[in-house]
Amino acid sequence: MTEAPERVPAPVPTTDPAVVRAIELVWREAELLDRAAYLRWESLYTDDATYVVPIDPDTEDFDGTLNMVYDDARMRQMRVVRMTEGYAIAAVDAARTVRTVSRFVPESVTGPAGGTEVVLRSAQVLVAFKRDRHDLWAADLRHRIRLAPDGPAGDRIVQKVVRLVNSESAVPAAGFLL
Amino acid sequence: MSTDVTGADVTGPTAADLVRADRVAGRLYTDPELFELEMTRIFERAWVWVAHTSELPGPGTFKSTHVGRQPVIVTRDRKGEIRTLLNRCRHRGASVCEKPQGRANGFTCPYHAWSYGLDGALRGVPYPDGYEGVLEKRDLSLRRLRTESYGGMVFATLDPDAEPLETFLGDARLWIDRFMKQGGGYPVKVLGRHRFTFRGNWKIQLENTTDGYHFPIVHRSWMASVDAETADMMSFMTDPTAVTHDLGHGHSVMQMVPAHSDLDADDGSEPLQARFDGLVEELSATLDPAAVRKVVRAMHGTGFNLNLFPNVSLSAAFFRVLRPVAVDETVIEHVAIGPDGPPELDAVNRARLRIHEHFQGPFGFGTPDDAEGWDRVQRGAAAAPDMPILINRGSAREKADADGHPTAHVTDETGMRAAYGRWKEMMGDD
């Protein structure tokens, strides 16, 4: 079977200054999650942002399907409290994680300077270590990032979708975030 | 009953020696030989839950699952009958289906293309001339398991002599009927499922669904994250009317919110939770107030957990299904359910999905904490395997209720004693 030729706009290079800022934000986020710096992680998201780990690998209808995580600002805030307050035994005794995010594909850079949004796909390989065991978590990520007019410090995530390669299979119950 | 539970007195030559009324051997979680026995004596003889009828909505629909460790396909054949078939080609043993669910005309083995109907019948073999005089197609159907259903719950058994499903369920049937009332006048359907693994024995999870005692300790972080009304509904720890009944056959029911045990029993005095105000308004555009009240009052499911031995629980607003993989490995499914009604109920089901995500699943606010507790039990049980695991909480205050069911407080271990009683019975046939 041959695939119909895709109508692809000219690819956005990863050296595009807007894309570089977006990649840096994704890397910053990855490090905060590995360090379990959840309060600072939360501050990377806009108030209207969603953080999603779907089960159905193809769905965009996160509202109408069951997800592993589907957080708006309220749920994200409660999740951070749960991760940091010390009462959740799974969070207190969570695995240590190291993640690599790479294979960036800029999907689009839109909007005027000052309101630029970057949609960026990437691959994430996360190794979690707990009680003498390494678990491997592989996922495709898609970030929608809003760049701030006054510089990278204000760049924020509007949506993050984490598609685990084994989302429909049984995964360990986690005490950390993807 | 002796209150001395410190001695090493759950040892002996047979499996049945390892369970007493108030304690069980720690070895029950760690001994691979016992696990093998459980697979043949319990999971290949009991009625094992395999599906909900809504997962097989029409002829040709199927799902893949397991009975114990054996892979099976549950199908709805052309006549509408639900079948459970061993997922193993009769020729050389290959699995004939590797899709988790779907719709098909039948199943064809990818290795030599033997093809089977939805009822398991062998329909064709390629190049049949080599089989002249040595193959009778009607003898080579996919092996069929006895399959029966009650209240939408489909069970299968590998034991051709097993008692009828309704006898096996016994007094649990009333509670299945009550559980399905959370459809609010509509049938119940499966909305989605979370799957997760934990590195521990299946019985640790079986116990958990009838363990009211762990709730405020393990789920403190979830309690802190829900609104006061929901937390209030969960104040069963000190409610003397919150009780657990041993229903016989290893089944038990834990009534955490007795006012929601029978959702049809509603005198109208209980206000609907304020968090659902928006939903009530949306539904009121098309549904009458009584219908709205019915579906919204059932948003959190029913007020009880029904534990069915050996592999499924009907818990509040979902099914919890366990699958033993190894002595120290278990897969759990948390199956979200909701009313199967007109499109305006989509809003109800979306809200139910959000409630399910909040607690359940590998990244929920409850499940990871449960799993951590179970993981600890498995690890700790490796210490002094001759030391018993205690299941004696509340045994001194256990009394028969009006129906004759042994009953104690919801935080007592009555349900575990029921399950282990059945375990002992099934494992004891030496």
Side-chain angles (χ1 to χ4, degrees), chain B residues 295-334:
Chain B
V295 290
V296 173
R297 193 161 168 269
M299 286 305 294
H300 295 283
T302 55
F304 61 84
N305 283 3
L306 174 64
N307 218 22
L308 298 179
F309 188 87
N311 85 316
V312 64
S313 301
L314 291 75
S315 177
F318 63 105
F319 307 138
R320 178 187 255 186
V321 188
L322 69 84
R323 174 160 73 86
V325 176
V327 66
D328 57 357
E329 188 180 353
T330 306
V331 171
I332 312 288
E333 282 187 14
H334 285 167

mmCIF file of all heavy atoms in Angstrom, chain B residues 295-334:
data_model
loop_
_atom_site.group_PDB
_atom_site.id
_atom_site.type_symbol
_atom_site.label_atom_id
_atom_site.label_comp_id
_atom_site.label_asym_id
_atom_site.label_seq_id
_atom_site.Cartn_x
_atom_site.Cartn_y
_atom_site.Cartn_z
ATOM 1 N N VAL B 295 -30.112 10.304 38.430
ATOM 2 C CA VAL B 295 -28.768 10.119 37.864
ATOM 3 C C VAL B 295 -27.703 10.902 38.628
ATOM 4 O O VAL B 295 -26.572 10.444 38.766
ATOM 5 C CB VAL B 295 -28.680 10.442 36.342
ATOM 6 C CG1 VAL B 295 -29.408 9.411 35.523
ATOM 7 C CG2 VAL B 295 -29.136 11.832 36.027
ATOM 8 N N VAL B 296 -28.081 12.072 39.140
ATOM 9 C CA VAL B 296 -27.083 12.890 39.842
ATOM 10 C C VAL B 296 -26.790 12.318 41.236
ATOM 11 O O VAL B 296 -25.653 12.307 41.692
ATOM 12 C CB VAL B 296 -27.526 14.368 39.910
ATOM 13 C CG1 VAL B 296 -26.583 15.187 40.780
ATOM 14 C CG2 VAL B 296 -27.590 14.958 38.505
ATOM 15 N N ARG B 297 -27.812 11.772 41.869
ATOM 16 C CA ARG B 297 -27.597 11.181 43.200
ATOM 17 C C ARG B 297 -26.669 9.962 43.093
ATOM 18 O O ARG B 297 -26.019 9.574 44.061
ATOM 19 C CB ARG B 297 -28.955 10.788 43.800
ATOM 20 C CG ARG B 297 -28.887 10.460 45.280
ATOM 21 C CD ARG B 297 -30.261 10.525 45.917
ATOM 22 N NE ARG B 297 -30.226 9.936 47.255
ATOM 23 C CZ ARG B 297 -30.481 8.668 47.500
ATOM 24 N NH1 ARG B 297 -30.822 7.854 46.535
ATOM 25 N NH2 ARG B 297 -30.415 8.212 48.741
ATOM 26 N N ALA B 298 -26.610 9.364 41.897
ATOM 27 C CA ALA B 298 -25.785 8.163 41.702
ATOM 28 C C ALA B 298 -24.399 8.491 41.137
ATOM 29 O O ALA B 298 -23.678 7.588 40.719
ATOM 30 C CB ALA B 298 -26.511 7.197 40.770
ATOM 31 N N MET B 299 -24.011 9.776 41.137
ATOM 32 C CA MET B 299 -22.737 10.143 40.507
ATOM 33 C C MET B 299 -21.551 9.398 41.099
ATOM 34 O O MET B 299 -20.605 9.077 40.403
ATOM 35 C CB MET B 299 -22.495 11.654 40.648
ATOM 36 C CG MET B 299 -23.340 12.524 39.748
ATOM 37 S SD MET B 299 -23.220 12.129 37.996
ATOM 38 C CE MET B 299 -21.532 12.553 37.675
ATOM 39 N N HIS B 300 -21.577 9.164 42.400
ATOM 40 C CA HIS B 300 -20.456 8.448 43.035
ATOM 41 C C HIS B 300 -20.704 6.948 43.078
ATOM 42 O O HIS B 300 -20.029 6.229 43.802
ATOM 43 C CB HIS B 300 -20.217 8.981 44.451
ATOM 44 C CG HIS B 300 -19.771 10.401 44.491
ATOM 45 N ND1 HIS B 300 -18.481 10.782 44.205
ATOM 46 C CD2 HIS B 300 -20.446 11.552 44.758
ATOM 47 C CE1 HIS B 300 -18.370 12.088 44.313
ATOM 48 N NE2 HIS B 300 -19.542 12.583 44.639
ATOM 49 N N GLY B 301 -21.694 6.468 42.323
ATOM 50 C CA GLY B 301 -21.999 5.034 42.347
ATOM 51 C C GLY B 301 -22.841 4.701 43.559
ATOM 52 O O GLY B 301 -23.601 5.529 44.059
ATOM 53 N N THR B 302 -22.714 3.479 44.011
ATOM 54 C CA THR B 302 -23.461 3.069 45.199
ATOM 55 C C THR B 302 -22.571 3.208 46.426
ATOM 56 O O THR B 302 -21.368 3.403 46.308
ATOM 57 C CB THR B 302 -23.909 1.606 45.075
ATOM 58 O OG1 THR B 302 -22.768 0.794 44.824
ATOM 59 C CG2 THR B 302 -24.916 1.429 43.964
ATOM 60 N N GLY B 303 -23.167 3.055 47.577
ATOM 61 C CA GLY B 303 -22.427 3.256 48.824
ATOM 62 C C GLY B 303 -21.780 1.997 49.357
ATOM 63 O O GLY B 303 -21.532 1.899 50.560
ATOM 64 N N PHE B 304 -21.546 1.022 48.464
ATOM 65 C CA PHE B 304 -20.952 -0.222 48.982
ATOM 66 C C PHE B 304 -19.948 -0.809 48.001
ATOM 67 O O PHE B 304 -19.927 -0.460 46.813
ATOM 68 C CB PHE B 304 -22.044 -1.264 49.279
ATOM 69 C CG PHE B 304 -22.872 -1.675 48.076
ATOM 70 C CD1 PHE B 304 -22.433 -2.669 47.210
ATOM 71 C CD2 PHE B 304 -24.110 -1.076 47.822
ATOM 72 C CE1 PHE B 304 -23.196 -3.050 46.117
ATOM 73 C CE2 PHE B 304 -24.879 -1.448 46.722
ATOM 74 C CZ PHE B 304 -24.420 -2.442 45.865
ATOM 75 N N ASN B 305 -19.101 -1.684 48.538
ATOM 76 C CA ASN B 305 -18.218 -2.522 47.721
ATOM 77 C C ASN B 305 -18.694 -3.955 47.851
ATOM 78 O O ASN B 305 -18.767 -4.489 48.963
ATOM 79 C CB ASN B 305 -16.774 -2.497 48.234
ATOM 80 C CG ASN B 305 -16.042 -1.220 47.864
ATOM 81 O OD1 ASN B 305 -16.620 -0.324 47.263
ATOM 82 N ND2 ASN B 305 -14.785 -1.145 48.238
ATOM 83 N N LEU B 306 -19.006 -4.585 46.718
ATOM 84 C CA LEU B 306 -19.371 -6.006 46.719
ATOM 85 C C LEU B 306 -18.160 -6.776 46.222
ATOM 86 O O LEU B 306 -17.690 -6.560 45.102
ATOM 87 C CB LEU B 306 -20.568 -6.233 45.785
ATOM 88 C CG LEU B 306 -20.981 -7.695 45.557
ATOM 89 C CD1 LEU B 306 -21.457 -8.354 46.847
ATOM 90 C CD2 LEU B 306 -22.090 -7.777 44.496
ATOM 91 N N ASN B 307 -17.640 -7.647 47.062
ATOM 92 C CA ASN B 307 -16.443 -8.404 46.713
ATOM 93 C C ASN B 307 -16.870 -9.804 46.310
ATOM 94 O O ASN B 307 -17.431 -10.542 47.126
ATOM 95 C CB ASN B 307 -15.520 -8.468 47.942
ATOM 96 C CG ASN B 307 -14.054 -8.354 47.588
ATOM 97 O OD1 ASN B 307 -13.710 -7.844 46.530
ATOM 98 N ND2 ASN B 307 -13.188 -8.822 48.468
ATOM 99 N N LEU B 308 -16.639 -10.181 45.038
ATOM 100 C CA LEU B 308 -17.013 -11.515 44.578
ATOM 101 C C LEU B 308 -15.751 -12.364 44.449
ATOM 102 O O LEU B 308 -14.819 -11.980 43.728
ATOM 103 C CB LEU B 308 -17.745 -11.437 43.226
ATOM 104 C CG LEU B 308 -19.063 -10.666 43.217
ATOM 105 C CD1 LEU B 308 -19.670 -10.643 41.817
ATOM 106 C CD2 LEU B 308 -20.069 -11.286 44.195
ATOM 107 N N PHE B 309 -15.731 -13.475 45.129
ATOM 108 C CA PHE B 309 -14.596 -14.382 45.068
ATOM 109 C C PHE B 309 -14.625 -15.118 43.725
ATOM 110 O O PHE B 309 -15.698 -15.613 43.342
ATOM 111 C CB PHE B 309 -14.701 -15.380 46.241
ATOM 112 C CG PHE B 309 -13.493 -16.253 46.401
ATOM 113 C CD1 PHE B 309 -12.410 -15.839 47.158
ATOM 114 C CD2 PHE B 309 -13.435 -17.511 45.801
ATOM 115 C CE1 PHE B 309 -11.300 -16.639 47.306
ATOM 116 C CE2 PHE B 309 -12.325 -18.316 45.951
ATOM 117 C CZ PHE B 309 -11.254 -17.884 46.699
ATOM 118 N N PRO B 310 -13.538 -15.239 42.953
ATOM 119 C CA PRO B 310 -12.195 -14.789 43.322
ATOM 120 C C PRO B 310 -11.682 -13.535 42.617
ATOM 121 O O PRO B 310 -10.623 -13.057 43.002
ATOM 122 C CB PRO B 310 -11.345 -15.983 42.850
ATOM 123 C CG PRO B 310 -12.026 -16.444 41.598
ATOM 124 C CD PRO B 310 -13.512 -16.192 41.823
ATOM 125 N N ASN B 311 -12.372 -12.961 41.602
ATOM 126 C CA ASN B 311 -11.607 -11.985 40.806
ATOM 127 C C ASN B 311 -12.302 -10.671 40.468
ATOM 128 O O ASN B 311 -11.753 -9.904 39.694
ATOM 129 C CB ASN B 311 -11.134 -12.634 39.495
ATOM 130 C CG ASN B 311 -12.203 -12.576 38.400
ATOM 131 O OD1 ASN B 311 -13.364 -12.839 38.674
ATOM 132 N ND2 ASN B 311 -11.808 -12.222 37.196
ATOM 133 N N VAL B 312 -13.496 -10.408 40.999
ATOM 134 C CA VAL B 312 -14.107 -9.128 40.623
ATOM 135 C C VAL B 312 -14.817 -8.482 41.814
ATOM 136 O O VAL B 312 -15.396 -9.185 42.655
ATOM 137 C CB VAL B 312 -15.100 -9.302 39.439
ATOM 138 C CG1 VAL B 312 -16.279 -10.168 39.807
ATOM 139 C CG2 VAL B 312 -15.572 -7.951 38.890
ATOM 140 N N SER B 313 -14.721 -7.167 41.858
ATOM 141 C CA SER B 313 -15.466 -6.399 42.853
ATOM 142 C C SER B 313 -16.307 -5.377 42.142
ATOM 143 O O SER B 313 -15.896 -4.836 41.110
ATOM 144 C CB SER B 313 -14.511 -5.669 43.786
ATOM 145 O OG SER B 313 -13.688 -6.572 44.435
ATOM 146 N N LEU B 314 -17.463 -5.120 42.703
ATOM 147 C CA LEU B 314 -18.307 -4.029 42.229
ATOM 148 C C LEU B 314 -18.167 -2.952 43.277
ATOM 149 O O LEU B 314 -18.689 -3.089 44.381
ATOM 150 C CB LEU B 314 -19.756 -4.505 42.068
ATOM 151 C CG LEU B 314 -19.992 -5.507 40.927
ATOM 152 C CD1 LEU B 314 -19.473 -6.891 41.270
ATOM 153 C CD2 LEU B 314 -21.462 -5.593 40.584
ATOM 154 N N SER B 315 -17.391 -1.950 42.948
ATOM 155 C CA SER B 315 -16.960 -1.021 43.972
ATOM 156 C C SER B 315 -17.478 0.374 43.670
ATOM 157 O O SER B 315 -17.090 0.963 42.668
ATOM 158 C CB SER B 315 -15.428 -1.014 44.006
ATOM 159 O OG SER B 315 -14.971 -0.076 44.952
ATOM 160 N N ALA B 316 -18.343 0.882 44.521
ATOM 161 C CA ALA B 316 -18.861 2.259 44.409
ATOM 162 C C ALA B 316 -19.330 2.606 42.994
ATOM 163 O O ALA B 316 -20.514 2.571 42.708
ATOM 164 C CB ALA B 316 -17.836 3.255 44.910
ATOM 165 N N ALA B 317 -18.407 2.955 42.080
ATOM 166 C CA ALA B 317 -18.820 3.382 40.743
ATOM 167 C C ALA B 317 -18.029 2.686 39.646
ATOM 168 O O ALA B 317 -17.922 3.197 38.535
ATOM 169 C CB ALA B 317 -18.644 4.893 40.616
ATOM 170 N N PHE B 318 -17.435 1.534 39.952
ATOM 171 C CA PHE B 318 -16.622 0.852 38.933
ATOM 172 C C PHE B 318 -16.503 -0.634 39.255
ATOM 173 O O PHE B 318 -16.839 -1.063 40.347
ATOM 174 C CB PHE B 318 -15.238 1.492 38.832
ATOM 175 C CG PHE B 318 -14.383 1.392 40.089
ATOM 176 C CD1 PHE B 318 -13.322 0.501 40.141
ATOM 177 C CD2 PHE B 318 -14.642 2.161 41.200
ATOM 178 C CE1 PHE B 318 -12.530 0.396 41.290
ATOM 179 C CE2 PHE B 318 -13.861 2.062 42.349
ATOM 180 C CZ PHE B 318 -12.809 1.177 42.389
ATOM 181 N N PHE B 319 -16.035 -1.388 38.255
ATOM 182 C CA PHE B 319 -15.683 -2.784 38.497
ATOM 183 C C PHE B 319 -14.170 -2.832 38.727
ATOM 184 O O PHE B 319 -13.418 -2.182 38.006
ATOM 185 C CB PHE B 319 -15.980 -3.694 37.292
ATOM 186 C CG PHE B 319 -17.379 -3.614 36.772
ATOM 187 C CD1 PHE B 319 -17.628 -3.584 35.403
ATOM 188 C CD2 PHE B 319 -18.481 -3.586 37.637
ATOM 189 C CE1 PHE B 319 -18.916 -3.518 34.898
ATOM 190 C CE2 PHE B 319 -19.771 -3.517 37.142
ATOM 191 C CZ PHE B 319 -19.993 -3.485 35.775
ATOM 192 N N ARG B 320 -13.765 -3.639 39.680
ATOM 193 C CA ARG B 320 -12.338 -3.860 39.909
ATOM 194 C C ARG B 320 -12.069 -5.326 39.634
ATOM 195 O O ARG B 320 -12.634 -6.201 40.286
ATOM 196 C CB ARG B 320 -11.968 -3.498 41.336
ATOM 197 C CG ARG B 320 -10.512 -3.741 41.643
ATOM 198 C CD ARG B 320 -10.237 -3.531 43.130
ATOM 199 N NE ARG B 320 -9.542 -2.277 43.352
ATOM 200 C CZ ARG B 320 -9.083 -1.912 44.553
ATOM 201 N NH1 ARG B 320 -9.264 -2.659 45.608
ATOM 202 N NH2 ARG B 320 -8.431 -0.774 44.677
ATOM 203 N N VAL B 321 -11.217 -5.570 38.648
ATOM 204 C CA VAL B 321 -10.972 -6.929 38.192
ATOM 205 C C VAL B 321 -9.515 -7.263 38.445
ATOM 206 O O VAL B 321 -8.637 -6.470 38.114
ATOM 207 C CB VAL B 321 -11.256 -7.061 36.678
ATOM 208 C CG1 VAL B 321 -11.179 -8.513 36.235
ATOM 209 C CG2 VAL B 321 -12.604 -6.460 36.332
ATOM 210 N N LEU B 322 -9.253 -8.422 39.039
ATOM 211 C CA LEU B 322 -7.861 -8.789 39.252
ATOM 212 C C LEU B 322 -7.511 -9.994 38.391
ATOM 213 O O LEU B 322 -8.349 -10.842 38.109
ATOM 214 C CB LEU B 322 -7.573 -9.070 40.727
ATOM 215 C CG LEU B 322 -8.172 -10.306 41.396
ATOM 216 C CD1 LEU B 322 -7.326 -11.556 41.157
ATOM 217 C CD2 LEU B 322 -8.297 -10.071 42.886
ATOM 218 N N ARG B 323 -6.246 -10.015 37.946
ATOM 219 C CA ARG B 323 -5.752 -11.144 37.177
ATOM 220 C C ARG B 323 -4.405 -11.576 37.752
ATOM 221 O O ARG B 323 -3.437 -10.815 37.703
ATOM 222 C CB ARG B 323 -5.579 -10.746 35.705
ATOM 223 C CG ARG B 323 -4.926 -11.835 34.866
ATOM 224 C CD ARG B 323 -5.198 -11.626 33.407
ATOM 225 N NE ARG B 323 -4.476 -10.520 32.797
ATOM 226 C CZ ARG B 323 -3.240 -10.628 32.299
ATOM 227 N NH1 ARG B 323 -2.588 -11.766 32.382
ATOM 228 N NH2 ARG B 323 -2.670 -9.577 31.742
ATOM 229 N N PRO B 324 -4.366 -12.792 38.314
ATOM 230 C CA PRO B 324 -3.078 -13.257 38.828
ATOM 231 C C PRO B 324 -2.138 -13.589 37.673
ATOM 232 O O PRO B 324 -2.542 -14.254 36.726
ATOM 233 C CB PRO B 324 -3.432 -14.521 39.615
ATOM 234 C CG PRO B 324 -4.807 -14.889 39.226
ATOM 235 C CD PRO B 324 -5.433 -13.785 38.445
ATOM 236 N N VAL B 325 -0.914 -13.080 37.740
ATOM 237 C CA VAL B 325 0.079 -13.342 36.694
ATOM 238 C C VAL B 325 1.143 -14.295 37.240
ATOM 239 O O VAL B 325 1.549 -15.233 36.576
ATOM 240 C CB VAL B 325 0.731 -12.025 36.219
ATOM 241 C CG1 VAL B 325 1.839 -12.285 35.211
ATOM 242 C CG2 VAL B 325 -0.332 -11.109 35.617
ATOM 243 N N ALA B 326 1.595 -14.038 38.448
ATOM 244 C CA ALA B 326 2.576 -14.887 39.127
ATOM 245 C C ALA B 326 2.317 -14.727 40.621
ATOM 246 O O ALA B 326 1.508 -13.890 41.028
ATOM 247 C CB ALA B 326 3.991 -14.448 38.763
ATOM 248 N N VAL B 327 3.029 -15.513 41.415
ATOM 249 C CA VAL B 327 2.781 -15.459 42.868
ATOM 250 C C VAL B 327 2.968 -14.033 43.390
ATOM 251 O O VAL B 327 2.286 -13.616 44.325
ATOM 252 C CB VAL B 327 3.673 -16.475 43.619
ATOM 253 C CG1 VAL B 327 5.157 -16.110 43.525
ATOM 254 C CG2 VAL B 327 3.231 -16.625 45.067
ATOM 255 N N ASP B 328 3.861 -13.287 42.742
ATOM 256 C CA ASP B 328 4.137 -11.919 43.196
ATOM 257 C C ASP B 328 3.861 -10.876 42.117
ATOM 258 O O ASP B 328 4.503 -9.837 42.062
ATOM 259 C CB ASP B 328 5.589 -11.822 43.686
ATOM 260 C CG ASP B 328 6.572 -12.246 42.596
ATOM 261 O OD1 ASP B 328 6.126 -12.657 41.510
ATOM 262 O OD2 ASP B 328 7.796 -12.165 42.854
ATOM 263 N N GLU B 329 2.928 -11.165 41.238
ATOM 264 C CA GLU B 329 2.567 -10.177 40.218
ATOM 265 C C GLU B 329 1.080 -10.285 39.876
ATOM 266 O O GLU B 329 0.569 -11.381 39.632
ATOM 267 C CB GLU B 329 3.403 -10.378 38.946
ATOM 268 C CG GLU B 329 3.178 -9.247 37.952
ATOM 269 C CD GLU B 329 3.980 -9.408 36.669
ATOM 270 O OE1 GLU B 329 4.816 -10.318 36.582
ATOM 271 O OE2 GLU B 329 3.713 -8.612 35.748
ATOM 272 N N THR B 330 0.414 -9.138 39.860
ATOM 273 C CA THR B 330 -1.033 -9.101 39.609
ATOM 274 C C THR B 330 -1.343 -7.905 38.714
ATOM 275 O O THR B 330 -0.736 -6.847 38.870
ATOM 276 C CB THR B 330 -1.794 -8.963 40.957
ATOM 277 O OG1 THR B 330 -1.362 -10.003 41.828
ATOM 278 C CG2 THR B 330 -3.297 -9.060 40.758
ATOM 279 N N VAL B 331 -2.260 -8.107 37.791
ATOM 280 C CA VAL B 331 -2.744 -6.998 36.966
ATOM 281 C C VAL B 331 -4.154 -6.637 37.435
ATOM 282 O O VAL B 331 -4.985 -7.519 37.667
ATOM 283 C CB VAL B 331 -2.766 -7.377 35.468
ATOM 284 C CG1 VAL B 331 -3.483 -6.310 34.642
ATOM 285 C CG2 VAL B 331 -1.346 -7.565 34.951
ATOM 286 N N ILE B 332 -4.399 -5.353 37.574
ATOM 287 C CA ILE B 332 -5.704 -4.875 38.021
ATOM 288 C C ILE B 332 -6.318 -4.006 36.922
ATOM 289 O O ILE B 332 -5.621 -3.226 36.286
ATOM 290 C CB ILE B 332 -5.582 -3.984 39.285
ATOM 291 C CG1 ILE B 332 -4.700 -4.629 40.349
ATOM 292 C CG2 ILE B 332 -6.953 -3.630 39.839
ATOM 293 C CD1 ILE B 332 -5.276 -5.777 41.053
ATOM 294 N N GLU B 333 -7.624 -4.153 36.738
ATOM 295 C CA GLU B 333 -8.360 -3.231 35.877
ATOM 296 C C GLU B 333 -9.390 -2.509 36.729
ATOM 297 O O GLU B 333 -10.097 -3.154 37.514
ATOM 298 C CB GLU B 333 -9.122 -4.000 34.788
ATOM 299 C CG GLU B 333 -8.263 -4.453 33.650
ATOM 300 C CD GLU B 333 -9.086 -5.047 32.518
ATOM 301 O OE1 GLU B 333 -10.326 -4.876 32.488
ATOM 302 O OE2 GLU B 333 -8.479 -5.704 31.673
ATOM 303 N N HIS B 334 -9.461 -1.212 36.553
ATOM 304 C CA HIS B 334 -10.548 -0.433 37.155
ATOM 305 C C HIS B 334 -11.440 0.030 36.015
ATOM 306 O O HIS B 334 -11.036 0.876 35.219
ATOM 307 C CB HIS B 334 -10.000 0.767 37.925
ATOM 308 C CG HIS B 334 -9.383 0.377 39.244
ATOM 309 N ND1 HIS B 334 -8.616 1.240 39.977
ATOM 310 C CD2 HIS B 334 -9.439 -0.766 39.960
ATOM 311 C CE1 HIS B 334 -8.223 0.644 41.092
ATOM 312 N NE2 HIS B 334 -8.699 -0.584 41.101
#
